[in-house]
Amino acid sequence: MEKKTPLYDCHLAAGGKPVPFAGYLLPIQYATGIITEHMAVRKQAGLFDVSHMGEVIYSGRDAVKNLNHLLTNDVALLRYGEICYSPMCNTEGGFVDDLIAYKLDDEKYMLVVNASNREKDVAWMQEHLFGDVQFEDISDSMAELALQGPNSTAILAKLTDAAALLVGNYTFKENILLNGISCLVSVTGYTGEMGYEIYLDNADAAEVWNLLLAAGKELGLIPCGLGSRDTLRLEAGMPLYGHEMDERITPLEIGLSYFVHLEKEGGFLGKEAMLAKKPYANKRVGLKVNGRGIVREQEKIFIGDQEIGITTSGTYSPYFSCGLAMARINKKYGKIGTLVDVEVRGRRIAAEIVALPFYKRNQTTASASPLK
């Protein structure tokens, strides 16, 4: 039976349409619809319930050593209040998951993992504990809200001291008071927009949700569901576990080498296997559909009669008003501007390889994008 987040009743009251997702009942959309929710985030602001995500705490003298053994990024480089994104690999160099790590102090870190992988991740982490370290899964006691969009700072400033709000991407502060309620607030998100993720006790989640919606009403804030979260992350070129990455694919073959610190002391799980697989034949690319049609995941890609790859995610883009997809293809065909065909239900749809990400925050209009 699916779980309910602390905001389940809030979703029903707002007209949310719950669906099973990662073991929870979460709104796929509200009465406003996916396109309206998507464009609210791009133009004003949107509020998401992401309380289904998993959170774990590492603490102790050997917390950093444990994390650097598991993660490809180097958490030793973090200062207090900083966050990093990292793949977590198996011994074959493929993904166990991808996650973000928060440095709470020199001997305490919080990791945020994908909801669908929480149990697997926790088991993997516990299996590889060593030394002076304590591990705690706090997922069931913590709620998480994502306030995303260009008006998000102005909205949050209505509920707290504006000077306390963060300015650096991938930074956070603890004990931010939102109308007196203590929260951890980070400049992170999964939409490609300026925004915040807010961590707080389950008991306070509904109150803060309603406070944010009230504070943002005049600034265009609306609640948003899973549907628009996925279309937003795709426009932003953000990979998703189970689509662009899985237990067989390494970070190096999907463009995440920036987050793989091969030189760090002691290495990390999967490093040797990852390097042994080089050179990689495939790469991750963006596809823009030329004309009508929508491409989904697991569609074959061709140049003439030659099959060159497969799509990993695809949808209609509300911002660009066209079909977009990410794909894994043979890298010798990966030049920007290459024309391809995608086979969808027995027919070919023309598409073009374009740069990732499709959407960048600073572009002011769709016509300013190279997609137009």
Side-chain angles (χ1 to χ4, degrees), residues 151-181:
N151 290 345
S152 57
T153 301
I155 293 167
L156 206 54
K158 290 187 175 185
L159 300 177
T160 192
D161 178 8
L165 295 178
L166 320 176
V167 294
N169 196 32
Y170 270 58
T171 63
F172 73 92
K173 286 185 181 177
E174 296 181 272
N175 301 316
I176 295 289
L177 298 180
L178 300 183
N179 206 40
I181 297 172

mmCIF file of all heavy atoms in Angstrom, residues 151-181:
data_model
loop_
_atom_site.group_PDB
_atom_site.id
_atom_site.type_symbol
_atom_site.label_atom_id
_atom_site.label_comp_id
_atom_site.label_asym_id
_atom_site.label_seq_id
_atom_site.Cartn_x
_atom_site.Cartn_y
_atom_site.Cartn_z
ATOM 1 N N ASN A 151 10.154 34.121 -9.078
ATOM 2 C CA ASN A 151 9.604 34.898 -7.962
ATOM 3 C C ASN A 151 9.813 34.227 -6.610
ATOM 4 O O ASN A 151 9.301 34.696 -5.598
ATOM 5 C CB ASN A 151 8.103 35.135 -8.172
ATOM 6 C CG ASN A 151 7.818 36.093 -9.311
ATOM 7 O OD1 ASN A 151 8.713 36.797 -9.783
ATOM 8 N ND2 ASN A 151 6.590 36.134 -9.774
ATOM 9 N N SER A 152 10.568 33.125 -6.596
ATOM 10 C CA SER A 152 10.675 32.351 -5.358
ATOM 11 C C SER A 152 11.352 33.133 -4.233
ATOM 12 O O SER A 152 10.939 33.036 -3.072
ATOM 13 C CB SER A 152 11.401 31.035 -5.618
ATOM 14 O OG SER A 152 12.674 31.252 -6.180
ATOM 15 N N THR A 153 12.373 33.925 -4.545
ATOM 16 C CA THR A 153 13.047 34.684 -3.493
ATOM 17 C C THR A 153 12.124 35.728 -2.884
ATOM 18 O O THR A 153 12.064 35.894 -1.657
ATOM 19 C CB THR A 153 14.317 35.360 -4.045
ATOM 20 O OG1 THR A 153 15.197 34.360 -4.559
ATOM 21 C CG2 THR A 153 15.026 36.147 -2.960
ATOM 22 N N ALA A 154 11.374 36.439 -3.734
ATOM 23 C CA ALA A 154 10.442 37.454 -3.233
ATOM 24 C C ALA A 154 9.363 36.822 -2.364
ATOM 25 O O ALA A 154 8.919 37.426 -1.368
ATOM 26 C CB ALA A 154 9.811 38.197 -4.406
ATOM 27 N N ILE A 155 8.928 35.624 -2.707
ATOM 28 C CA ILE A 155 7.906 34.933 -1.919
ATOM 29 C C ILE A 155 8.473 34.528 -0.565
ATOM 30 O O ILE A 155 7.869 34.775 0.487
ATOM 31 C CB ILE A 155 7.380 33.704 -2.686
ATOM 32 C CG1 ILE A 155 6.612 34.144 -3.927
ATOM 33 C CG2 ILE A 155 6.491 32.839 -1.787
ATOM 34 C CD1 ILE A 155 6.326 33.031 -4.909
ATOM 35 N N LEU A 156 9.645 33.908 -0.571
ATOM 36 C CA LEU A 156 10.246 33.446 0.680
ATOM 37 C C LEU A 156 10.574 34.616 1.595
ATOM 38 O O LEU A 156 10.471 34.511 2.824
ATOM 39 C CB LEU A 156 11.507 32.644 0.357
ATOM 40 C CG LEU A 156 11.962 31.593 1.365
ATOM 41 C CD1 LEU A 156 10.849 30.613 1.684
ATOM 42 C CD2 LEU A 156 13.182 30.854 0.830
ATOM 43 N N ALA A 157 10.935 35.761 1.017
ATOM 44 C CA ALA A 157 11.289 36.944 1.810
ATOM 45 C C ALA A 157 10.099 37.490 2.587
ATOM 46 O O ALA A 157 10.283 38.250 3.543
ATOM 47 C CB ALA A 157 11.864 38.025 0.913
ATOM 48 N N LYS A 158 8.884 37.126 2.188
ATOM 49 C CA LYS A 158 7.701 37.560 2.936
ATOM 50 C C LYS A 158 7.561 36.825 4.260
ATOM 51 O O LYS A 158 6.833 37.282 5.143
ATOM 52 C CB LYS A 158 6.437 37.340 2.101
ATOM 53 C CG LYS A 158 6.298 38.259 0.896
ATOM 54 C CD LYS A 158 4.934 38.062 0.241
ATOM 55 C CE LYS A 158 4.705 39.041 -0.884
ATOM 56 N NZ LYS A 158 3.334 38.942 -1.440
ATOM 57 N N LEU A 159 8.232 35.690 4.390
ATOM 58 C CA LEU A 159 8.065 34.851 5.576
ATOM 59 C C LEU A 159 9.286 34.807 6.478
ATOM 60 O O LEU A 159 9.251 34.185 7.536
ATOM 61 C CB LEU A 159 7.709 33.425 5.149
ATOM 62 C CG LEU A 159 6.430 33.253 4.342
ATOM 63 C CD1 LEU A 159 6.255 31.793 3.938
ATOM 64 C CD2 LEU A 159 5.219 33.732 5.141
ATOM 65 N N THR A 160 10.390 35.423 6.055
ATOM 66 C CA THR A 160 11.599 35.377 6.856
ATOM 67 C C THR A 160 12.417 36.632 6.614
ATOM 68 O O THR A 160 12.085 37.448 5.744
ATOM 69 C CB THR A 160 12.432 34.117 6.517
ATOM 70 O OG1 THR A 160 13.462 33.964 7.506
ATOM 71 C CG2 THR A 160 13.047 34.204 5.130
ATOM 72 N N ASP A 161 13.471 36.783 7.368
ATOM 73 C CA ASP A 161 14.394 37.898 7.201
ATOM 74 C C ASP A 161 15.067 37.769 5.834
ATOM 75 O O ASP A 161 15.784 36.800 5.572
ATOM 76 C CB ASP A 161 15.431 37.855 8.317
ATOM 77 C CG ASP A 161 16.476 38.956 8.197
ATOM 78 O OD1 ASP A 161 16.316 39.839 7.329
ATOM 79 O OD2 ASP A 161 17.445 38.922 8.977
ATOM 80 N N ALA A 162 14.841 38.734 4.951
ATOM 81 C CA ALA A 162 15.378 38.654 3.594
ATOM 82 C C ALA A 162 16.895 38.525 3.599
ATOM 83 O O ALA A 162 17.475 37.871 2.724
ATOM 84 C CB ALA A 162 14.949 39.886 2.786
ATOM 85 N N ALA A 163 17.568 39.113 4.590
ATOM 86 C CA ALA A 163 19.024 39.048 4.657
ATOM 87 C C ALA A 163 19.521 37.634 4.940
ATOM 88 O O ALA A 163 20.672 37.313 4.672
ATOM 89 C CB ALA A 163 19.539 40.003 5.731
ATOM 90 N N ALA A 164 18.638 36.782 5.466
ATOM 91 C CA ALA A 164 19.034 35.418 5.795
ATOM 92 C C ALA A 164 18.981 34.491 4.597
ATOM 93 O O ALA A 164 19.499 33.378 4.653
ATOM 94 C CB ALA A 164 18.136 34.875 6.905
ATOM 95 N N LEU A 165 18.338 34.928 3.523
ATOM 96 C CA LEU A 165 18.195 34.064 2.359
ATOM 97 C C LEU A 165 19.526 33.893 1.643
ATOM 98 O O LEU A 165 20.365 34.783 1.618
ATOM 99 C CB LEU A 165 17.149 34.643 1.396
ATOM 100 C CG LEU A 165 15.722 34.684 1.949
ATOM 101 C CD1 LEU A 165 14.778 35.307 0.941
ATOM 102 C CD2 LEU A 165 15.244 33.290 2.318
ATOM 103 N N LEU A 166 19.685 32.758 1.049
ATOM 104 C CA LEU A 166 20.958 32.408 0.444
ATOM 105 C C LEU A 166 21.099 33.056 -0.922
ATOM 106 O O LEU A 166 20.120 33.369 -1.588
ATOM 107 C CB LEU A 166 21.049 30.897 0.301
ATOM 108 C CG LEU A 166 20.488 30.090 1.479
ATOM 109 C CD1 LEU A 166 20.544 28.612 1.174
ATOM 110 C CD2 LEU A 166 21.260 30.399 2.743
ATOM 111 N N VAL A 167 22.341 33.222 -1.346
ATOM 112 C CA VAL A 167 22.581 33.792 -2.675
ATOM 113 C C VAL A 167 23.340 32.828 -3.573
ATOM 114 O O VAL A 167 23.260 32.912 -4.788
ATOM 115 C CB VAL A 167 23.339 35.133 -2.586
ATOM 116 C CG1 VAL A 167 22.476 36.187 -1.922
ATOM 117 C CG2 VAL A 167 24.657 34.974 -1.820
ATOM 118 N N GLY A 168 24.093 31.902 -3.008
ATOM 119 C CA GLY A 168 24.900 30.999 -3.810
ATOM 120 C C GLY A 168 24.157 29.731 -4.171
ATOM 121 O O GLY A 168 23.484 29.135 -3.332
ATOM 122 N N ASN A 169 24.288 29.307 -5.433
ATOM 123 C CA ASN A 169 23.700 28.044 -5.840
ATOM 124 C C ASN A 169 24.385 26.890 -5.100
ATOM 125 O O ASN A 169 25.579 26.919 -4.841
ATOM 126 C CB ASN A 169 23.865 27.859 -7.346
ATOM 127 C CG ASN A 169 22.955 26.791 -7.899
ATOM 128 O OD1 ASN A 169 21.848 26.585 -7.400
ATOM 129 N ND2 ASN A 169 23.395 26.105 -8.930
ATOM 130 N N TYR A 170 23.611 25.888 -4.724
ATOM 131 C CA TYR A 170 24.098 24.739 -3.976
ATOM 132 C C TYR A 170 24.729 25.157 -2.646
ATOM 133 O O TYR A 170 25.791 24.700 -2.254
ATOM 134 C CB TYR A 170 25.037 23.889 -4.830
ATOM 135 C CG TYR A 170 24.269 22.820 -5.599
ATOM 136 C CD1 TYR A 170 23.253 23.181 -6.478
ATOM 137 C CD2 TYR A 170 24.521 21.472 -5.418
ATOM 138 C CE1 TYR A 170 22.517 22.226 -7.160
ATOM 139 C CE2 TYR A 170 23.801 20.502 -6.095
ATOM 140 C CZ TYR A 170 22.792 20.888 -6.964
ATOM 141 O OH TYR A 170 22.059 19.945 -7.616
ATOM 142 N N THR A 171 24.025 26.034 -1.945
ATOM 143 C CA THR A 171 24.353 26.374 -0.565
ATOM 144 C C THR A 171 23.078 26.258 0.265
ATOM 145 O O THR A 171 21.976 26.167 -0.273
ATOM 146 C CB THR A 171 24.907 27.800 -0.441
ATOM 147 O OG1 THR A 171 23.901 28.743 -0.851
ATOM 148 C CG2 THR A 171 26.147 27.991 -1.298
ATOM 149 N N PHE A 172 23.241 26.258 1.592
ATOM 150 C CA PHE A 172 22.069 26.140 2.462
ATOM 151 C C PHE A 172 22.326 26.827 3.784
ATOM 152 O O PHE A 172 23.468 27.133 4.145
ATOM 153 C CB PHE A 172 21.720 24.663 2.702
ATOM 154 C CG PHE A 172 22.686 23.951 3.626
ATOM 155 C CD1 PHE A 172 22.466 23.874 4.991
ATOM 156 C CD2 PHE A 172 23.843 23.351 3.120
ATOM 157 C CE1 PHE A 172 23.358 23.228 5.840
ATOM 158 C CE2 PHE A 172 24.741 22.705 3.954
ATOM 159 C CZ PHE A 172 24.495 22.643 5.325
ATOM 160 N N LYS A 173 21.253 27.061 4.513
ATOM 161 C CA LYS A 173 21.331 27.524 5.896
ATOM 162 C C LYS A 173 20.320 26.745 6.730
ATOM 163 O O LYS A 173 19.216 26.447 6.270
ATOM 164 C CB LYS A 173 21.045 29.022 5.997
ATOM 165 C CG LYS A 173 22.173 29.907 5.512
ATOM 166 C CD LYS A 173 21.875 31.375 5.763
ATOM 167 C CE LYS A 173 23.006 32.263 5.254
ATOM 168 N NZ LYS A 173 22.688 33.708 5.421
ATOM 169 N N GLU A 174 20.732 26.431 7.945
ATOM 170 C CA GLU A 174 19.841 25.772 8.887
ATOM 171 C C GLU A 174 19.138 26.820 9.741
ATOM 172 O O GLU A 174 19.558 27.965 9.842
ATOM 173 C CB GLU A 174 20.633 24.832 9.790
ATOM 174 C CG GLU A 174 21.304 23.682 9.062
ATOM 175 C CD GLU A 174 22.049 22.767 10.010
ATOM 176 O OE1 GLU A 174 23.238 23.048 10.276
ATOM 177 O OE2 GLU A 174 21.447 21.783 10.471
ATOM 178 N N ASN A 175 18.054 26.395 10.379
ATOM 179 C CA ASN A 175 17.314 27.216 11.343
ATOM 180 C C ASN A 175 16.824 28.532 10.748
ATOM 181 O O ASN A 175 16.794 29.563 11.422
ATOM 182 C CB ASN A 175 18.176 27.479 12.584
ATOM 183 C CG ASN A 175 18.605 26.190 13.263
ATOM 184 O OD1 ASN A 175 17.804 25.274 13.432
ATOM 185 N ND2 ASN A 175 19.870 26.108 13.630
ATOM 186 N N ILE A 176 16.456 28.488 9.461
ATOM 187 C CA ILE A 176 15.737 29.622 8.883
ATOM 188 C C ILE A 176 14.314 29.572 9.409
ATOM 189 O O ILE A 176 13.640 28.530 9.314
ATOM 190 C CB ILE A 176 15.733 29.546 7.342
ATOM 191 C CG1 ILE A 176 17.152 29.689 6.789
ATOM 192 C CG2 ILE A 176 14.810 30.593 6.741
ATOM 193 C CD1 ILE A 176 17.726 31.077 6.924
ATOM 194 N N LEU A 177 13.836 30.676 9.959
ATOM 195 C CA LEU A 177 12.490 30.713 10.528
ATOM 196 C C LEU A 177 11.506 31.233 9.491
ATOM 197 O O LEU A 177 11.597 32.379 9.047
ATOM 198 C CB LEU A 177 12.464 31.596 11.770
ATOM 199 C CG LEU A 177 13.341 31.129 12.934
ATOM 200 C CD1 LEU A 177 13.214 32.091 14.110
ATOM 201 C CD2 LEU A 177 12.983 29.703 13.370
ATOM 202 N N LEU A 178 10.574 30.376 9.095
ATOM 203 C CA LEU A 178 9.492 30.774 8.196
ATOM 204 C C LEU A 178 8.251 30.962 9.048
ATOM 205 O O LEU A 178 7.628 29.986 9.488
ATOM 206 C CB LEU A 178 9.259 29.717 7.115
ATOM 207 C CG LEU A 178 10.459 29.419 6.207
ATOM 208 C CD1 LEU A 178 10.082 28.414 5.127
ATOM 209 C CD2 LEU A 178 11.003 30.697 5.575
ATOM 210 N N ASN A 179 7.962 32.224 9.331
ATOM 211 C CA ASN A 179 6.864 32.559 10.236
ATOM 212 C C ASN A 179 7.031 31.838 11.578
ATOM 213 O O ASN A 179 6.069 31.361 12.170
ATOM 214 C CB ASN A 179 5.517 32.209 9.609
ATOM 215 C CG ASN A 179 4.389 33.065 10.166
ATOM 216 O OD1 ASN A 179 4.551 34.263 10.397
ATOM 217 N ND2 ASN A 179 3.239 32.455 10.384
ATOM 218 N N GLY A 180 8.279 31.740 12.022
ATOM 219 C CA GLY A 180 8.574 31.135 13.321
ATOM 220 C C GLY A 180 8.864 29.657 13.296
ATOM 221 O O GLY A 180 9.226 29.087 14.325
ATOM 222 N N ILE A 181 8.722 28.993 12.151
ATOM 223 C CA ILE A 181 8.953 27.553 12.041
ATOM 224 C C ILE A 181 10.365 27.314 11.511
ATOM 225 O O ILE A 181 10.738 27.822 10.454
ATOM 226 C CB ILE A 181 7.914 26.892 11.121
ATOM 227 C CG1 ILE A 181 6.517 27.053 11.722
ATOM 228 C CG2 ILE A 181 8.236 25.425 10.886
ATOM 229 C CD1 ILE A 181 5.404 26.615 10.804
#
